[in-house]
Amino acid sequence: MILLALVSWLAAVDEDAITVTLAFERMHCDECKSELEASVRKMQGFKGVSFLGSAVLVLFDEKQPVPAFNRLPKDLSLRAVTLAIRGTVSFAGEKATLVARSGSTYALANPDKSKQDHLGDLKKKLGGKSRFTVSGTIGGDGKTILLQSFQAADWKD
């Protein structure tokens, strides 16, 4: 609950940012935080970072591709990468795609254990609108977002 409130607050602070939540198995000490912060600051498009227990919220410029998180300190044991990102959604049959403002393309999918059809709900909401902010966990391939929520969005080109 607190994490969702913090994500909403950060998104309101900088609506032109991708909000990435990195969830770790553990965050040992201040040295862990310093090492992690140094790692994310080096990533292309970095805008800001905030720590909340074993989760880290990182803001990136939405006009840059979402970076790979494969060079983070290994001893922290990254569990999940969740993001909130704006883009244009389209459907081809039942397959959904998000083209982010950076031009990166992501397949959208329902989470494996979800009983709710998030994609079906999104398809119903399209009705003339195609710009959305979607939130979800990045799948193992790095190119799929397991859709958790969405909302209509608008921006100036």
Side-chain angles (χ1 to χ4, degrees):
M1 185 69 128
I2 294 171
L3 187 59
L4 289 175
L6 191 53
V7 168
S8 297
W9 176 78
L10 282 172
V13 169
D14 190 347
E15 66 180 29
D16 292 333
I18 299 166
T19 304
V20 178
T21 304
L22 304 171
F24 293 96
E25 187 70 32
R26 61 192 169 279
M27 189 75 64
H28 299 113
C29 57
D30 287 340
E31 185 179 334
C32 291
K33 289 180 182 179
S34 296
E35 190 176 341
L36 180 59
E37 184 172 358
S39 294
V40 296
R41 282 186 178 280
K42 294 176 188 174
M43 294 179 176
Q44 186 175 358
F46 172 82
K47 292 181 100 174
V49 63
S50 180
F51 291 87
L52 181 64
S54 60
V56 180
L57 296 169
V58 187
L59 297 179
F60 292 98
D61 182 340
E62 74 176 347
K63 293 183 182 168
Q64 299 291 325
V66 175
F69 296 98
N70 55 358
R71 293 192 177 172
L72 299 176
K74 301 288 185 224
D75 61 331
L76 296 178
S77 301
L78 181 63
R79 288 186 308 154
V81 177
T82 305
L83 61 90
I85 187 169
R86 293 191 300 183
T88 304
V89 174
S90 62
F91 277 84
E94 295 302 312
K95 292 186 178 187
T97 302
L98 173 88
V99 177
R101 298 215 42 221
S102 67
S104 299
T105 301
Y106 297 92
L108 298 176
N110 282 315
D112 293 336
K113 297 175 185 173
S114 177
K115 294 180 181 174
Q116 186 173 357
D117 182 12
H118 297 292
L119 286 179
D121 294 342
L122 177 58
K123 193 171 188 178
K124 290 176 190 173
K125 293 285 182 181
L126 280 179
K129 294 187 177 193
S130 61
R131 293 180 170 188
F132 288 87
T133 298
V134 301
S135 298
T137 304
I138 296 180
D141 64 359
K143 290 293 182 185
T144 301
I145 298 173
L146 303 176
L147 189 61
Q148 293 170 344
S149 66
F150 60 88
Q151 65 182 23
D154 205 11
W155 59 84
K156 295 178 183 178
D157 288 321

